[in-house]
Each structure stands twice: as C-alpha cells, then as structure tokens.
Amino acid sequence: MSFVAILGAGAIGGAIAHRLAQRSRVGAIRLIDASGNVAAGKALDIRQSGPVERFDTLVEAADDVRAAASAVAVIVADEAAGGEWQGERGLALIRRLAEIGVTAPLVFAGTSQTALIETAYRELKIPAPRLVGSAAGALASAIRALVGLDLGISTVDVAVAGRPPAVTIAWTSATAGGALVTERVPAHRLLAISQAAPKLWPPKPYAIASATAPIVEALLDGSRRRHHAMTIVDGELGVRGRAVLLPLELGRQRVLSHARPSLSPQERTELMNAM
C-alpha cells in the first residue's frame, strides 16, 4: 500500500498526520520519529479517533528514517524532542533521504525551513520540482479568510507572493463573486489587511496542517486549482535559487508550474523589494 511519510512527531507532524487521516485521501500515513514511543502514541491516538471522526486511514509509526524509503511523499516536519528540522541537522536528514533512494516530493511543513529548502536545492542538487514549502500556504489562507470576512463569503481568489513574513498581495487582480475585490472592499481595509499579514506569521500547527494536507493530496492526485506554497525560483523575479511563495500547479509528484501573479507596478516594486 502506498503511504505518506511524516518526518517528526512533534506538534506540526502530529497535526498533519491527523488532518491527512481525517480527509481520507491517502492510503496510509507513517509517522517517523527517533522518539519511537511518542510517534507510536500519536499514531494510536489518531487511529482511535477514527470511529468518532469517521475515517479509517491507516496510521502507523516508526523510529528510523529508512522507513520513509518507499513513500509517495515525504513531509519534513518537527521532531518530538528536537523541534523543526532545519540547519545542519535538517541538511543531514535530507542527505540521508537521498542516500536511501527517496525520489518522492519533499514537503517542508516547518515555518523555519526556507533556508533548508534552498540548501537542498543548491548543495544536494534535489530537483526544484520536488521541493515544496507548505507552511506559507497557511499565511495565504489566512489572508483570503480576512477578505472573506469583510465580504461575508468564503471563496475569494487572491494571489499572494513573497518570502514570509514579507508578502505582496495582488489586490488589483483579486476577485470575489465574479467582481474585483477592489470594487467591493474599501481601500483602507485592504491596506489594513496588508499591514496585518506579517503578524499572521508564523501560523500555528493546526493551520499548517490544514494547508499541508491539500498540497500533499494535489502532489499525488493532481488538482483543478492552484495551491499557494513555497517553490524554488531560479532566474525569475530577479532571484536565483531562492524559495518564494507563489500559486502552484501540482501533480504527478512534482510542481508542474508556478504562476506569477498579475501585479500593479506598485505591487511589483513591493515584491522585488521584499525578495
């Protein structure tokens, strides 16, 4: 049976495992942590909640990274004892994944892993389409939710780009209910949301899990819509080899393409300054 591996049974890893299980769109989940008892306990808790929450996704645990070798997607989260995978420790983990033959997409769910994504690309030569940062998707979701609250609707199409917490919101091309957001929301409210955006970073584990689960599912099964996430940009937007939050088309276990948001001259300048 195909499975998704989650490296780390900390708060983020546990929340993602639970959210993926709830959605019942992956065959199995393997929660991997050196603290095997913690991983096993969280896996058991999630399985036992299945009958109440009406899901039967298989959730199991392991204490060795080699258990991720045949995963269809690998989520790099946070250890129960060591926190987010980052820095030299994180790089050693990605190197180990390469050594054991992992070719699945790597989804970085931590809020402090931007540098790790970039180092995996530059130093370990992991192909850019296999590298995705999902935590930033929670920031884009929060921005859309704030606009939706102002409008009293739940579906808002707003593109967000940048390097959290510094992001540019494409207000001039944003739409809701078939109309431009700029025609429905006063300029001072849009400014207030833009100014509030950096304060929404970093998102909490549940928000990260809610953003990560559909990104993983889109990588495996494709999706009709674009998902906001970090991807490596090399030569575009005036940068090389850097991870940037953009709307992505995902499928076939890779980033298929990324969309450059339609920005006004002022928004474009703001984005360039933030890079």
Side-chain angles (χ1 to χ4, degrees), residues 76 85-95 108 116 124:
V76 183
W85 289 102
Q86 56 181 309
E88 289 300 320
R89 187 171 58 91
L91 185 60
L93 173 70
I94 306 306
R95 184 178 290 111
F108 295 81
L116 181 58
L124 301 184

Side-chain angles (χ1 to χ4, degrees), residues 149-171:
L149 283 173
D150 271 41
L151 294 172
I153 59 177
S154 59
T155 304
V156 180
D157 186 8
V158 181
V160 182
R163 289 168 61 86
V167 295
T168 297
I169 306 171
W171 291 126

Side-chain angles (χ1 to χ4, degrees), residues 253-267:
Q253 295 184 290
R254 64 195 296 270
V255 177
L256 299 174
S257 66
H258 57 264
R260 183 169 179 169
S262 178
L263 304 172
S264 69
Q266 180 179 345
E267 292 166 345

Side-chain angles (χ1 to χ4, degrees), residues 13 21 28-29 35 45 77 83 93 96 105 107 120 139 168 184 188 203 209 217 232 242 247-248 255:
I29 299 162
S35 300
D45 287 345
L93 173 70
R96 179 62 175 145
V107 179
L139 176 57
T168 297
R184 300 186 59 183
H188 73 274
E217 293 162 1
I232 292 292
R242 303 198 78 187
L248 308 181
V255 177

